[in-house]
Amino acid sequence: VAMAATRSVMRAVRVFEFGGPEVLKLQSDVLVPVPKENQVLIKVHACGVNPVETYIRSGTYARKPALPYTPGSDVAGVIESVGERVTAFKKGDRVFTLETVSGGYAEYAVAAANRVFPLPDKLDFRQGAAIGVPYFTAYRALFQKGRAKAGESVLVHGASGGVGLAACQIARACGLKVLGTAGTEEGMNVILRNGAHQAFNHRDPNYTERIKACTAPGGVDIIIEMLSNVNLDADLQLLSCAGRVMVVGCRGRIEINPRDTMSKESSIIGVSLFLATEEERRECATAVLDGIEAGWLKPVVGLEYPLEKVAQAHEDIICSSGARGKMVLLL
């Protein structure tokens, strides 16, 4: 009697309960997912780690996946197989995606074909895993929500991480005056190599005065804010008339005086890539792919971890001081 074909298994990280980094369990007997209609299966070579994945894992985030689940969305790898009606990709194509259906911390991941993009040969898989969420978020913050224009000034607060460096590169390419902050000398150098005109150390007690002097008399037009629970009050003092703070990251509460927004008619605007419309996603994708082709979009990869060290990666992305590029898992 012919045996039914057995589905192959893979290594994948699974979360069975919300909690600290220790709830990330690496299992070696997870079934390889099968792509459905309009989906592709990607053999994962690298997967980006984003702060939002730690919030989701802890159970404190607004969006909670059904348990158990595999975290991760920014994947780069090679198409293994395609589902029905997929014509844009074939087995063997190098690709990246910013959204998987099955989870990216795994040897294989399924993604919707319209959320997958070709990865040009000039970028390696580590860089491919550093494109999705950071660059789409930075573009959305700057242009779709922040209405940035060439000639305006932008302060990227926490510029040496994945989203920060993406914002520096995009803003510089689009004709903005770019200022960035980081917490280490190394971080400041990375920012300056990636589009910032000036870098400031946010551990220096007088750094906001230095920024004010640099943007006098008007102030800064846009602030891309990665840690609004620490910086928002100070940000409002740095803005120009009609300036806007784009809240990209936040890890808690902060007290501000709303009068600070009245004196300059400034705005505090939240940014969430999850809320982008299909049309907005296509606009982000076009800008990103154009940037890769033009050569100014060059993801900076920071710390790299094997899948076995995923809990350490989650610990480090929140607790270690001084980001230098995008954190990735390597498979």
Side-chain angles (χ1 to χ4, degrees), residues 82-105:
V82 301
E84 301 276 324
R85 304 182 56 166
V86 174
T87 54
F89 299 103
K90 63 183 186 311
K91 183 176 166 70
D93 287 350
R94 286 163 45 94
V95 294
F96 73 93
T97 178
L98 71 156
E99 194 181 326
T100 68
V101 176
S102 58
Y105 297 5

mmCIF file with all atom_site columns, all heavy atoms in Angstrom, residues 82-105:
data_model
loop_
_atom_site.group_PDB
_atom_site.id
_atom_site.type_symbol
_atom_site.label_atom_id
_atom_site.label_alt_id
_atom_site.label_comp_id
_atom_site.label_asym_id
_atom_site.label_entity_id
_atom_site.label_seq_id
_atom_site.pdbx_PDB_ins_code
_atom_site.Cartn_x
_atom_site.Cartn_y
_atom_site.Cartn_z
_atom_site.occupancy
_atom_site.B_iso_or_equiv
_atom_site.pdbx_formal_charge
_atom_site.auth_seq_id
_atom_site.auth_comp_id
_atom_site.auth_asym_id
_atom_site.auth_atom_id
_atom_site.pdbx_PDB_model_num
ATOM 1   N N   . VAL A 1 82  ? 5.076  28.080 -4.872  1.00 0.00 ? 82  VAL A N   1
ATOM 2   C CA  . VAL A 1 82  ? 4.029  29.103 -4.974  1.00 0.00 ? 82  VAL A CA  1
ATOM 3   C C   . VAL A 1 82  ? 2.662  28.431 -5.003  1.00 0.00 ? 82  VAL A C   1
ATOM 4   O O   . VAL A 1 82  ? 2.511  27.306 -5.494  1.00 0.00 ? 82  VAL A O   1
ATOM 5   C CB  . VAL A 1 82  ? 4.213  29.981 -6.240  1.00 0.00 ? 82  VAL A CB  1
ATOM 6   C CG1 . VAL A 1 82  ? 5.566  30.678 -6.224  1.00 0.00 ? 82  VAL A CG1 1
ATOM 7   C CG2 . VAL A 1 82  ? 4.051  29.175 -7.513  1.00 0.00 ? 82  VAL A CG2 1
ATOM 8   N N   . GLY A 1 83  ? 1.676  29.155 -4.462  1.00 0.00 ? 83  GLY A N   1
ATOM 9   C CA  . GLY A 1 83  ? 0.301  28.657 -4.481  1.00 0.00 ? 83  GLY A CA  1
ATOM 10  C C   . GLY A 1 83  ? -0.356 28.935 -5.821  1.00 0.00 ? 83  GLY A C   1
ATOM 11  O O   . GLY A 1 83  ? 0.238  29.529 -6.732  1.00 0.00 ? 83  GLY A O   1
ATOM 12  N N   . GLU A 1 84  ? -1.616 28.497 -5.934  1.00 0.00 ? 84  GLU A N   1
ATOM 13  C CA  . GLU A 1 84  ? -2.395 28.730 -7.162  1.00 0.00 ? 84  GLU A CA  1
ATOM 14  C C   . GLU A 1 84  ? -2.436 30.221 -7.485  1.00 0.00 ? 84  GLU A C   1
ATOM 15  O O   . GLU A 1 84  ? -2.471 31.053 -6.584  1.00 0.00 ? 84  GLU A O   1
ATOM 16  C CB  . GLU A 1 84  ? -3.843 28.262 -6.948  1.00 0.00 ? 84  GLU A CB  1
ATOM 17  C CG  . GLU A 1 84  ? -3.982 26.798 -6.578  1.00 0.00 ? 84  GLU A CG  1
ATOM 18  C CD  . GLU A 1 84  ? -3.980 25.922 -7.821  1.00 0.00 ? 84  GLU A CD  1
ATOM 19  O OE1 . GLU A 1 84  ? -4.532 26.365 -8.843  1.00 0.00 ? 84  GLU A OE1 1
ATOM 20  O OE2 . GLU A 1 84  ? -3.422 24.817 -7.756  1.00 0.00 ? 84  GLU A OE2 1
ATOM 21  N N   . ARG A 1 85  ? -2.456 30.528 -8.768  1.00 0.00 ? 85  ARG A N   1
ATOM 22  C CA  . ARG A 1 85  ? -2.668 31.880 -9.291  1.00 0.00 ? 85  ARG A CA  1
ATOM 23  C C   . ARG A 1 85  ? -1.509 32.839 -9.027  1.00 0.00 ? 85  ARG A C   1
ATOM 24  O O   . ARG A 1 85  ? -1.647 34.041 -9.261  1.00 0.00 ? 85  ARG A O   1
ATOM 25  C CB  . ARG A 1 85  ? -3.974 32.473 -8.737  1.00 0.00 ? 85  ARG A CB  1
ATOM 26  C CG  . ARG A 1 85  ? -5.180 31.589 -9.039  1.00 0.00 ? 85  ARG A CG  1
ATOM 27  C CD  . ARG A 1 85  ? -6.458 32.163 -8.551  1.00 0.00 ? 85  ARG A CD  1
ATOM 28  N NE  . ARG A 1 85  ? -6.683 33.511 -9.088  1.00 0.00 ? 85  ARG A NE  1
ATOM 29  C CZ  . ARG A 1 85  ? -7.857 34.138 -9.025  1.00 0.00 ? 85  ARG A CZ  1
ATOM 30  N NH1 . ARG A 1 85  ? -8.882 33.533 -8.462  1.00 0.00 ? 85  ARG A NH1 1
ATOM 31  N NH2 . ARG A 1 85  ? -7.994 35.349 -9.510  1.00 0.00 ? 85  ARG A NH2 1
ATOM 32  N N   . VAL A 1 86  ? -0.383 32.337 -8.524  1.00 0.00 ? 86  VAL A N   1
ATOM 33  C CA  . VAL A 1 86  ? 0.776  33.229 -8.343  1.00 0.00 ? 86  VAL A CA  1
ATOM 34  C C   . VAL A 1 86  ? 1.607  33.204 -9.629  1.00 0.00 ? 86  VAL A C   1
ATOM 35  O O   . VAL A 1 86  ? 2.097  32.154 -10.033 1.00 0.00 ? 86  VAL A O   1
ATOM 36  C CB  . VAL A 1 86  ? 1.653  32.785 -7.150  1.00 0.00 ? 86  VAL A CB  1
ATOM 37  C CG1 . VAL A 1 86  ? 2.918  33.635 -7.074  1.00 0.00 ? 86  VAL A CG1 1
ATOM 38  C CG2 . VAL A 1 86  ? 0.865  32.884 -5.848  1.00 0.00 ? 86  VAL A CG2 1
ATOM 39  N N   . THR A 1 87  ? 1.739  34.361 -10.262 1.00 0.00 ? 87  THR A N   1
ATOM 40  C CA  . THR A 1 87  ? 2.503  34.438 -11.519 1.00 0.00 ? 87  THR A CA  1
ATOM 41  C C   . THR A 1 87  ? 3.750  35.300 -11.369 1.00 0.00 ? 87  THR A C   1
ATOM 42  O O   . THR A 1 87  ? 4.659  35.225 -12.188 1.00 0.00 ? 87  THR A O   1
ATOM 43  C CB  . THR A 1 87  ? 1.626  35.021 -12.640 1.00 0.00 ? 87  THR A CB  1
ATOM 44  O OG1 . THR A 1 87  ? 1.098  36.277 -12.180 1.00 0.00 ? 87  THR A OG1 1
ATOM 45  C CG2 . THR A 1 87  ? 0.477  34.095 -12.984 1.00 0.00 ? 87  THR A CG2 1
ATOM 46  N N   . ALA A 1 88  ? 3.793  36.152 -10.320 1.00 0.00 ? 88  ALA A N   1
ATOM 47  C CA  . ALA A 1 88  ? 4.894  37.114 -10.186 1.00 0.00 ? 88  ALA A CA  1
ATOM 48  C C   . ALA A 1 88  ? 6.192  36.450 -9.726  1.00 0.00 ? 88  ALA A C   1
ATOM 49  O O   . ALA A 1 88  ? 7.273  36.994 -9.934  1.00 0.00 ? 88  ALA A O   1
ATOM 50  C CB  . ALA A 1 88  ? 4.504  38.224 -9.216  1.00 0.00 ? 88  ALA A CB  1
ATOM 51  N N   . PHE A 1 89  ? 6.086  35.275 -9.094  1.00 0.00 ? 89  PHE A N   1
ATOM 52  C CA  . PHE A 1 89  ? 7.272  34.620 -8.534  1.00 0.00 ? 89  PHE A CA  1
ATOM 53  C C   . PHE A 1 89  ? 7.322  33.152 -8.917  1.00 0.00 ? 89  PHE A C   1
ATOM 54  O O   . PHE A 1 89  ? 6.294  32.534 -9.184  1.00 0.00 ? 89  PHE A O   1
ATOM 55  C CB  . PHE A 1 89  ? 7.277  34.732 -7.000  1.00 0.00 ? 89  PHE A CB  1
ATOM 56  C CG  . PHE A 1 89  ? 7.302  36.142 -6.507  1.00 0.00 ? 89  PHE A CG  1
ATOM 57  C CD1 . PHE A 1 89  ? 6.149  36.736 -6.020  1.00 0.00 ? 89  PHE A CD1 1
ATOM 58  C CD2 . PHE A 1 89  ? 8.469  36.897 -6.552  1.00 0.00 ? 89  PHE A CD2 1
ATOM 59  C CE1 . PHE A 1 89  ? 6.159  38.057 -5.566  1.00 0.00 ? 89  PHE A CE1 1
ATOM 60  C CE2 . PHE A 1 89  ? 8.489  38.216 -6.100  1.00 0.00 ? 89  PHE A CE2 1
ATOM 61  C CZ  . PHE A 1 89  ? 7.325  38.788 -5.608  1.00 0.00 ? 89  PHE A CZ  1
ATOM 62  N N   . LYS A 1 90  ? 8.554  32.615 -8.922  1.00 0.00 ? 90  LYS A N   1
ATOM 63  C CA  . LYS A 1 90  ? 8.738  31.185 -9.174  1.00 0.00 ? 90  LYS A CA  1
ATOM 64  C C   . LYS A 1 90  ? 9.799  30.656 -8.206  1.00 0.00 ? 90  LYS A C   1
ATOM 65  O O   . LYS A 1 90  ? 10.555 31.438 -7.599  1.00 0.00 ? 90  LYS A O   1
ATOM 66  C CB  . LYS A 1 90  ? 9.159  30.962 -10.627 1.00 0.00 ? 90  LYS A CB  1
ATOM 67  C CG  . LYS A 1 90  ? 10.503 31.602 -10.961 1.00 0.00 ? 90  LYS A CG  1
ATOM 68  C CD  . LYS A 1 90  ? 10.847 31.428 -12.430 1.00 0.00 ? 90  LYS A CD  1
ATOM 69  C CE  . LYS A 1 90  ? 12.247 31.945 -12.739 1.00 0.00 ? 90  LYS A CE  1
ATOM 70  N NZ  . LYS A 1 90  ? 12.536 33.304 -12.224 1.00 0.00 ? 90  LYS A NZ  1
ATOM 71  N N   . LYS A 1 91  ? 9.871  29.344 -8.087  1.00 0.00 ? 91  LYS A N   1
ATOM 72  C CA  . LYS A 1 91  ? 10.852 28.716 -7.207  1.00 0.00 ? 91  LYS A CA  1
ATOM 73  C C   . LYS A 1 91  ? 12.255 29.229 -7.535  1.00 0.00 ? 91  LYS A C   1
ATOM 74  O O   . LYS A 1 91  ? 12.620 29.342 -8.694  1.00 0.00 ? 91  LYS A O   1
ATOM 75  C CB  . LYS A 1 91  ? 10.788 27.186 -7.376  1.00 0.00 ? 91  LYS A CB  1
ATOM 76  C CG  . LYS A 1 91  ? 11.738 26.411 -6.439  1.00 0.00 ? 91  LYS A CG  1
ATOM 77  C CD  . LYS A 1 91  ? 11.520 24.894 -6.620  1.00 0.00 ? 91  LYS A CD  1
ATOM 78  C CE  . LYS A 1 91  ? 12.646 24.086 -5.996  1.00 0.00 ? 91  LYS A CE  1
ATOM 79  N NZ  . LYS A 1 91  ? 12.693 24.107 -4.524  1.00 0.00 ? 91  LYS A NZ  1
ATOM 80  N N   . GLY A 1 92  ? 13.016 29.582 -6.479  1.00 0.00 ? 92  GLY A N   1
ATOM 81  C CA  . GLY A 1 92  ? 14.381 30.050 -6.684  1.00 0.00 ? 92  GLY A CA  1
ATOM 82  C C   . GLY A 1 92  ? 14.563 31.557 -6.691  1.00 0.00 ? 92  GLY A C   1
ATOM 83  O O   . GLY A 1 92  ? 15.686 32.052 -6.613  1.00 0.00 ? 92  GLY A O   1
ATOM 84  N N   . ASP A 1 93  ? 13.449 32.315 -6.784  1.00 0.00 ? 93  ASP A N   1
ATOM 85  C CA  . ASP A 1 93  ? 13.561 33.780 -6.780  1.00 0.00 ? 93  ASP A CA  1
ATOM 86  C C   . ASP A 1 93  ? 14.009 34.297 -5.408  1.00 0.00 ? 93  ASP A C   1
ATOM 87  O O   . ASP A 1 93  ? 13.513 33.840 -4.375  1.00 0.00 ? 93  ASP A O   1
ATOM 88  C CB  . ASP A 1 93  ? 12.204 34.431 -7.110  1.00 0.00 ? 93  ASP A CB  1
ATOM 89  C CG  . ASP A 1 93  ? 11.815 34.289 -8.572  1.00 0.00 ? 93  ASP A CG  1
ATOM 90  O OD1 . ASP A 1 93  ? 12.670 33.854 -9.364  1.00 0.00 ? 93  ASP A OD1 1
ATOM 91  O OD2 . ASP A 1 93  ? 10.662 34.614 -8.916  1.00 0.00 ? 93  ASP A OD2 1
ATOM 92  N N   . ARG A 1 94  ? 14.934 35.262 -5.413  1.00 0.00 ? 94  ARG A N   1
ATOM 93  C CA  . ARG A 1 94  ? 15.337 35.944 -4.169  1.00 0.00 ? 94  ARG A CA  1
ATOM 94  C C   . ARG A 1 94  ? 14.295 37.016 -3.849  1.00 0.00 ? 94  ARG A C   1
ATOM 95  O O   . ARG A 1 94  ? 13.972 37.841 -4.723  1.00 0.00 ? 94  ARG A O   1
ATOM 96  C CB  . ARG A 1 94  ? 16.696 36.640 -4.349  1.00 0.00 ? 94  ARG A CB  1
ATOM 97  C CG  . ARG A 1 94  ? 17.898 35.700 -4.387  1.00 0.00 ? 94  ARG A CG  1
ATOM 98  C CD  . ARG A 1 94  ? 19.101 36.430 -4.968  1.00 0.00 ? 94  ARG A CD  1
ATOM 99  N NE  . ARG A 1 94  ? 19.290 37.774 -4.419  1.00 0.00 ? 94  ARG A NE  1
ATOM 100 C CZ  . ARG A 1 94  ? 20.080 38.076 -3.370  1.00 0.00 ? 94  ARG A CZ  1
ATOM 101 N NH1 . ARG A 1 94  ? 20.775 37.137 -2.769  1.00 0.00 ? 94  ARG A NH1 1
ATOM 102 N NH2 . ARG A 1 94  ? 20.193 39.317 -2.946  1.00 0.00 ? 94  ARG A NH2 1
ATOM 103 N N   . VAL A 1 95  ? 13.796 37.022 -2.604  1.00 0.00 ? 95  VAL A N   1
ATOM 104 C CA  . VAL A 1 95  ? 12.711 37.940 -2.244  1.00 0.00 ? 95  VAL A CA  1
ATOM 105 C C   . VAL A 1 95  ? 12.871 38.465 -0.818  1.00 0.00 ? 95  VAL A C   1
ATOM 106 O O   . VAL A 1 95  ? 13.639 37.929 -0.018  1.00 0.00 ? 95  VAL A O   1
ATOM 107 C CB  . VAL A 1 95  ? 11.323 37.248 -2.346  1.00 0.00 ? 95  VAL A CB  1
ATOM 108 C CG1 . VAL A 1 95  ? 10.989 36.885 -3.787  1.00 0.00 ? 95  VAL A CG1 1
ATOM 109 C CG2 . VAL A 1 95  ? 11.255 36.018 -1.438  1.00 0.00 ? 95  VAL A CG2 1
ATOM 110 N N   . PHE A 1 96  ? 12.103 39.540 -0.529  1.00 0.00 ? 96  PHE A N   1
ATOM 111 C CA  . PHE A 1 96  ? 11.924 39.956 0.866   1.00 0.00 ? 96  PHE A CA  1
ATOM 112 C C   . PHE A 1 96  ? 10.457 40.296 1.070   1.00 0.00 ? 96  PHE A C   1
ATOM 113 O O   . PHE A 1 96  ? 9.727  40.555 0.113   1.00 0.00 ? 96  PHE A O   1
ATOM 114 C CB  . PHE A 1 96  ? 12.823 41.157 1.208   1.00 0.00 ? 96  PHE A CB  1
ATOM 115 C CG  . PHE A 1 96  ? 12.403 42.477 0.607   1.00 0.00 ? 96  PHE A CG  1
ATOM 116 C CD1 . PHE A 1 96  ? 11.592 43.362 1.318   1.00 0.00 ? 96  PHE A CD1 1
ATOM 117 C CD2 . PHE A 1 96  ? 12.829 42.855 -0.663  1.00 0.00 ? 96  PHE A CD2 1
ATOM 118 C CE1 . PHE A 1 96  ? 11.209 44.587 0.770   1.00 0.00 ? 96  PHE A CE1 1
ATOM 119 C CE2 . PHE A 1 96  ? 12.459 44.086 -1.212  1.00 0.00 ? 96  PHE A CE2 1
ATOM 120 C CZ  . PHE A 1 96  ? 11.640 44.942 -0.495  1.00 0.00 ? 96  PHE A CZ  1
ATOM 121 N N   . THR A 1 97  ? 10.024 40.264 2.311   1.00 0.00 ? 97  THR A N   1
ATOM 122 C CA  . THR A 1 97  ? 8.647  40.625 2.640   1.00 0.00 ? 97  THR A CA  1
ATOM 123 C C   . THR A 1 97  ? 8.630  41.346 3.969   1.00 0.00 ? 97  THR A C   1
ATOM 124 O O   . THR A 1 97  ? 9.574  41.210 4.761   1.00 0.00 ? 97  THR A O   1
ATOM 125 C CB  . THR A 1 97  ? 7.723  39.392 2.704   1.00 0.00 ? 97  THR A CB  1
ATOM 126 O OG1 . THR A 1 97  ? 6.408  39.815 3.071   1.00 0.00 ? 97  THR A OG1 1
ATOM 127 C CG2 . THR A 1 97  ? 8.199  38.388 3.738   1.00 0.00 ? 97  THR A CG2 1
ATOM 128 N N   . LEU A 1 98  ? 7.597  42.140 4.207   1.00 0.00 ? 98  LEU A N   1
ATOM 129 C CA  . LEU A 1 98  ? 7.475  42.777 5.515   1.00 0.00 ? 98  LEU A CA  1
ATOM 130 C C   . LEU A 1 98  ? 6.301  42.195 6.282   1.00 0.00 ? 98  LEU A C   1
ATOM 131 O O   . LEU A 1 98  ? 5.934  42.695 7.339   1.00 0.00 ? 98  LEU A O   1
ATOM 132 C CB  . LEU A 1 98  ? 7.318  44.291 5.393   1.00 0.00 ? 98  LEU A CB  1
ATOM 133 C CG  . LEU A 1 98  ? 5.999  44.847 4.858   1.00 0.00 ? 98  LEU A CG  1
ATOM 134 C CD1 . LEU A 1 98  ? 5.822  46.280 5.355   1.00 0.00 ? 98  LEU A CD1 1
ATOM 135 C CD2 . LEU A 1 98  ? 5.955  44.819 3.355   1.00 0.00 ? 98  LEU A CD2 1
ATOM 136 N N   . GLU A 1 99  ? 5.714  41.136 5.763   1.00 0.00 ? 99  GLU A N   1
ATOM 137 C CA  . GLU A 1 99  ? 4.562  40.572 6.463   1.00 0.00 ? 99  GLU A CA  1
ATOM 138 C C   . GLU A 1 99  ? 4.393  39.105 6.070   1.00 0.00 ? 99  GLU A C   1
ATOM 139 O O   . GLU A 1 99  ? 4.154  38.809 4.905   1.00 0.00 ? 99  GLU A O   1
ATOM 140 C CB  . GLU A 1 99  ? 3.305  41.361 6.073   1.00 0.00 ? 99  GLU A CB  1
ATOM 141 C CG  . GLU A 1 99  ? 2.127  41.101 6.956   1.00 0.00 ? 99  GLU A CG  1
ATOM 142 C CD  . GLU A 1 99  ? 0.915  41.901 6.501   1.00 0.00 ? 99  GLU A CD  1
ATOM 143 O OE1 . GLU A 1 99  ? 1.092  43.031 6.015   1.00 0.00 ? 99  GLU A OE1 1
ATOM 144 O OE2 . GLU A 1 99  ? -0.199 41.380 6.627   1.00 0.00 ? 99  GLU A OE2 1
ATOM 145 N N   . THR A 1 100 ? 4.545  38.220 7.028   1.00 0.00 ? 100 THR A N   1
ATOM 146 C CA  . THR A 1 100 ? 4.303  36.807 6.746   1.00 0.00 ? 100 THR A CA  1
ATOM 147 C C   . THR A 1 100 ? 2.959  36.411 7.337   1.00 0.00 ? 100 THR A C   1
ATOM 148 O O   . THR A 1 100 ? 2.439  37.069 8.239   1.00 0.00 ? 100 THR A O   1
ATOM 149 C CB  . THR A 1 100 ? 5.386  35.916 7.376   1.00 0.00 ? 100 THR A CB  1
ATOM 150 O OG1 . THR A 1 100 ? 5.258  35.980 8.794   1.00 0.00 ? 100 THR A OG1 1
ATOM 151 C CG2 . THR A 1 100 ? 6.783  36.341 6.967   1.00 0.00 ? 100 THR A CG2 1
ATOM 152 N N   . VAL A 1 101 ? 2.402  35.340 6.819   1.00 0.00 ? 101 VAL A N   1
ATOM 153 C CA  . VAL A 1 101 ? 1.152  34.803 7.351   1.00 0.00 ? 101 VAL A CA  1
ATOM 154 C C   . VAL A 1 101 ? 1.462  33.848 8.507   1.00 0.00 ? 101 VAL A C   1
ATOM 155 O O   . VAL A 1 101 ? 0.766  33.817 9.514   1.00 0.00 ? 101 VAL A O   1
ATOM 156 C CB  . VAL A 1 101 ? 0.377  34.054 6.235   1.00 0.00 ? 101 VAL A CB  1
ATOM 157 C CG1 . VAL A 1 101 ? -0.886 33.398 6.786   1.00 0.00 ? 101 VAL A CG1 1
ATOM 158 C CG2 . VAL A 1 101 ? 0.049  35.004 5.096   1.00 0.00 ? 101 VAL A CG2 1
ATOM 159 N N   . SER A 1 102 ? 2.559  33.094 8.359   1.00 0.00 ? 102 SER A N   1
ATOM 160 C CA  . SER A 1 102 ? 2.848  32.000 9.306   1.00 0.00 ? 102 SER A CA  1
ATOM 161 C C   . SER A 1 102 ? 3.879  32.379 10.375  1.00 0.00 ? 102 SER A C   1
ATOM 162 O O   . SER A 1 102 ? 4.060  31.644 11.340  1.00 0.00 ? 102 SER A O   1
ATOM 163 C CB  . SER A 1 102 ? 3.348  30.777 8.534   1.00 0.00 ? 102 SER A CB  1
ATOM 164 O OG  . SER A 1 102 ? 4.506  31.119 7.781   1.00 0.00 ? 102 SER A OG  1
ATOM 165 N N   . GLY A 1 103 ? 4.568  33.523 10.206  1.00 0.00 ? 103 GLY A N   1
ATOM 166 C CA  . GLY A 1 103 ? 5.593  33.939 11.174  1.00 0.00 ? 103 GLY A CA  1
ATOM 167 C C   . GLY A 1 103 ? 6.989  33.760 10.605  1.00 0.00 ? 103 GLY A C   1
ATOM 168 O O   . GLY A 1 103 ? 7.301  32.750 9.963   1.00 0.00 ? 103 GLY A O   1
ATOM 169 N N   . GLY A 1 104 ? 7.859  34.731 10.856  1.00 0.00 ? 104 GLY A N   1
ATOM 170 C CA  . GLY A 1 104 ? 9.172  34.753 10.214  1.00 0.00 ? 104 GLY A CA  1
ATOM 171 C C   . GLY A 1 104 ? 10.300 34.088 10.967  1.00 0.00 ? 104 GLY A C   1
ATOM 172 O O   . GLY A 1 104 ? 11.342 33.780 10.383  1.00 0.00 ? 104 GLY A O   1
ATOM 173 N N   . TYR A 1 105 ? 10.145 33.862 12.288  1.00 0.00 ? 105 TYR A N   1
ATOM 174 C CA  . TYR A 1 105 ? 11.221 33.225 13.053  1.00 0.00 ? 105 TYR A CA  1
ATOM 175 C C   . TYR A 1 105 ? 11.152 31.719 12.815  1.00 0.00 ? 105 TYR A C   1
ATOM 176 O O   . TYR A 1 105 ? 10.876 30.933 13.711  1.00 0.00 ? 105 TYR A O   1
ATOM 177 C CB  . TYR A 1 105 ? 11.065 33.470 14.560  1.00 0.00 ? 105 TYR A CB  1
ATOM 178 C CG  . TYR A 1 105 ? 11.137 34.902 15.073  1.00 0.00 ? 105 TYR A CG  1
ATOM 179 C CD1 . TYR A 1 105 ? 11.245 35.995 14.218  1.00 0.00 ? 105 TYR A CD1 1
ATOM 180 C CD2 . TYR A 1 105 ? 11.096 35.144 16.445  1.00 0.00 ? 105 TYR A CD2 1
ATOM 181 C CE1 . TYR A 1 105 ? 11.300 37.288 14.722  1.00 0.00 ? 105 TYR A CE1 1
ATOM 182 C CE2 . TYR A 1 105 ? 11.148 36.434 16.954  1.00 0.00 ? 105 TYR A CE2 1
ATOM 183 C CZ  . TYR A 1 105 ? 11.249 37.504 16.091  1.00 0.00 ? 105 TYR A CZ  1
ATOM 184 O OH  . TYR A 1 105 ? 11.295 38.772 16.599  1.00 0.00 ? 105 TYR A OH  1
#
